[in-house]
Amino acid sequence: LRVLLSTVAASFYALLWSLVLLFITILMAALVLTQIINPFLSDSSIDSDTIYWLFKHYGTAGRSLWTVFEITFSGGWPGYVRVLVEEV
């Protein structure tokens, strides 16, 4: 039992660095998406409902971070990506 517990405790170090790497990847993707979508928020040729949807999900760094987090860990990622592909 002692060997098993020490092994589990030792694996937390690798788990911590995996989570840090995953967070940095999600953060970079969110920031890139926010910068790419920002010009489309002021585009008059796009429908106002689409612009509202874009701002709601990708308008700020925090919103984009939450959206990319949901894309990564939920099965509903097509709902967050389809509008980007079809409308923008």
Side-chain angles (χ1 to χ4, degrees):
L1 181 62
R2 184 176 302 154
V3 173
L4 181 62
L5 289 177
S6 66
T7 305
V8 169
S11 68
F12 279 117
Y13 187 68
L15 177 65
L16 173 73
W17 282 109
S18 298
L19 290 175
V20 167
L21 181 64
L22 183 63
F23 176 76
I24 290 172
T25 305
I26 289 173
L27 181 64
M28 287 174 37
L31 292 175
V32 166
L33 277 171
T34 302
Q35 290 297 317
I36 289 173
I37 289 175
N38 194 18
F40 294 102
L41 294 176
S42 60
D43 191 359
S44 62
S45 65
I46 299 176
D47 185 32
S48 63
D49 291 334
T50 304
I51 290 175
Y52 174 74
W53 186 90
L54 285 173
F55 182 76
K56 188 173 121 181
H57 293 288
Y58 301 101
T60 64
R63 291 174 187 216
S64 186
L65 181 67
W66 181 252
T67 302
V68 174
F69 176 80
E70 285 183 327
I71 287 171
T72 304
F73 291 112
S74 74
W77 65 269
Y80 295 110
V81 178
R82 186 174 313 276
V83 175
L84 294 177
V85 172
E86 293 176 354
E87 302 287 331
V88 179

